[in-house]
Amino acid sequence: MKSSFLQKQTSRRDILRGSVTLAGSAFLAQLFPATLLRASVAAQAKEPSAADLLASMRAKFNAAPLETQMLAEDVTMLSGPGGAVVVLNGPDGKFVVDSFVAPAWPRLKEALDGLGNAPVKYLIDSHWHFDHTDNNADLHAAGATVLAHQNTKKRMSEPHDLPVLARLPDGALVGLHFDPSPAEALPQETFSDSYKLQANGETLVLQHVPAAHTDTDIYVHFRNANVIQMADLFFNGMYPYIDPGTGGKITGVIAAVDKILSLADNDTKIVAGHGPLGNKSDLTKARDMLITSRDRVQKLKSEGKSALEAVAEKPFADLDPVWGKGIINGDQWVQIVYLTL
């Protein structure tokens, strides 16, 4: 599957156009086999619609089993259908970080109900992406106040287009479109830098970081439990996705990782947006990979090489066996780093 990104960019506009192409193709390549896309084209006698692709993407995420892991006496991680959800539960209510994809709502509700009768008081969005915010409206309807960084509300209030996700074998182009989120799904409370909650004997510190995975990212530190949810600031054991279309910067991801490493000790449980539960050692390895990736691609870019030429250099050949088996492969990671320097 080839993206129209793989052309030599000659202007900032071309680079941005490449970025939105890449943004979708990286996920599309993983989530939708070519046979599935061809079948969709054959069935409709045209390329699949943006709505069909988004529905298929949600269904693919939702196919993952929902697993429960206790991180502390009153802190639980739910993982599976769209990353990881962390729940602080106690007499003051449930405080939930992120919410999976929309089709997972019945299972998420069942898992939350299974933790006890306390109502959900707060839903905290780690950033704007749909696999972390899809169930905002359902949880708000259940009584939760949705809390997020102000940029998350801004991004969710806007339409977003990935105009060319991939070119199918028959030459058709497929794209993805996100409408603005409905009013009931938007955060009701926002903050600009940091926010603190006291509940169930726990202190939750919500901290925004400068443009990293997106320009909307926060981490959530459960201080007493020694748990930090990094969400998509950390992809454990795999190349991460960084969204250049909404402000993502690899230098910002590295800075965010450095910040978390300064807060963590060897017993800290670090929740990744994708991948297994991590620790300080896992995050340190990810940091080393990020710095190596940045430096290698920066050198190629400084030499005047285009993104396609940088890919052809195979700068991550030694890293791919360890890091290239997740959502993003090595060639895609070269392109992401190139666009987010």
Side-chain angles (χ1 to χ4, degrees):
M1 206 178 283
K2 294 182 179 179
S3 166
S4 66
F5 166 80
L6 296 179
Q7 303 169 358
K8 186 170 183 176
Q9 284 80 27
T10 57
S11 70
R12 183 173 180 82
R13 179 175 295 177
D14 289 334
I15 289 175
L16 181 58
R17 184 179 299 115
S19 77
V20 294
T21 298
L22 167 67
S25 64
F27 283 109
L28 194 69
Q30 296 293 324
L31 295 174
F32 307 110
T35 52
L36 173 62
L37 293 174
R38 284 197 297 269
S40 179
V41 171
Q44 302 180 39
K46 62 180 181 180
E47 67 270 20
S49 69
D52 290 336
L53 286 175
L54 186 54
S56 296
M57 187 178 290
R58 286 185 165 108
K60 181 71 174 180
F61 276 125
N62 191 47
L66 194 159
E67 299 178 349
T68 300
Q69 183 173 353
M70 294 296 296
L71 305 185
E73 183 178 358
D74 52 2
V75 179
T76 303
M77 182 177 76
L78 309 174
S79 60
V85 169
V86 175
V87 185
L88 170 68
N89 180 50
D92 296 328
K94 298 185 180 82
F95 293 71
V96 180
V97 187
D98 289 344
S99 67
F100 294 146
V101 292
W105 168 241
R107 287 188 293 156
L108 175 59
K109 183 179 185 302
E110 181 180 12
L112 292 173
D113 290 346
L115 294 176
N117 296 326
V120 178
K121 297 296 290 293
Y122 272 91
L123 168 64
I124 300 165
D125 292 333
S126 66
H127 64 293
W128 81 271
H129 283 156
F130 77 97
D131 51 321
H132 299 260
T133 61
D134 252 3
N135 289 302
N136 278 15
D138 287 311
L139 282 163
H140 179 53
T145 296
V146 181
L147 172 63
H149 186 262
Q150 60 192 17
N151 287 352
T152 293
K153 184 172 184 176
K154 176 180 181 292
R155 292 300 189 185
M156 291 180 68
S157 301
E158 302 168 340
H160 295 279
D161 284 290
L162 304 176
V164 181
L165 290 182
R167 188 179 298 275
L168 301 181
D170 64 358
L173 296 174
V174 291
L176 196 63
H177 172 79
F178 294 91
D179 289 324
S181 298
E184 57 270 23
L186 297 177
Q188 289 85 50
E189 292 186 13
T190 63
F191 60 96
S192 61
D193 181 44
S194 61
Y195 197 100
K196 185 181 291 186
L197 290 167
Q198 301 277 356
N200 299 320
E202 179 62 83
T203 299
L204 288 75
V205 178
L206 289 57
Q207 180 65 52
H208 179 244
V209 299
H213 169 68
T214 67
D215 61 10
T216 71
D217 303 294
I218 66 169
Y219 64 83
V220 181
H221 188 185
F222 299 78
R223 282 184 173 172
N224 297 342
N226 200 14
V227 171
I228 302 174
Q229 183 167 12
M230 292 184 68
D232 284 3
L233 294 168
F234 179 32
F235 284 55
N236 192 7
M238 66 187 82
Y239 291 132
Y241 175 63
I242 305 173
D243 184 352
T246 54
K249 296 290 182 184
I250 189 170
T251 53
V253 176
I254 294 169
V257 168
D258 284 341
K259 174 63 176 179
I260 299 304
L261 287 173
S262 75
L263 296 174
D265 59 36
N266 291 334
D267 295 320
T268 304
K269 296 179 174 67
I270 303 176
V271 180
H274 299 273
L277 180 67
N279 56 32
K280 190 170 185 176
S281 176
D282 296 323
L283 189 58
T284 300
K285 292 174 185 176
R287 177 185 184 273
D288 292 344
M289 178 274 295
L290 289 165
I291 291 173
T292 298
S293 299
R294 178 200 63 191
D295 292 349
R296 291 180 184 180
V297 176
Q298 183 63 70
K299 181 176 183 294
L300 294 171
K301 194 170 185 178
S302 297
E303 291 170 355
K305 288 183 168 59
S306 69
L308 176 57
E309 290 165 342
V311 169
E313 292 285 329
K314 297 294 181 185
F316 305 147
D318 59 325
L319 302 178
D320 288 347
V322 175
W323 299 95
K325 298 178 181 179
I327 294 173
I328 305 297
N329 66 34
D331 288 351
Q332 292 164 341
W333 179 230
V334 175
Q335 299 167 64
I336 290 171
V337 175
Y338 190 99
L339 286 166
T340 59
L341 285 168

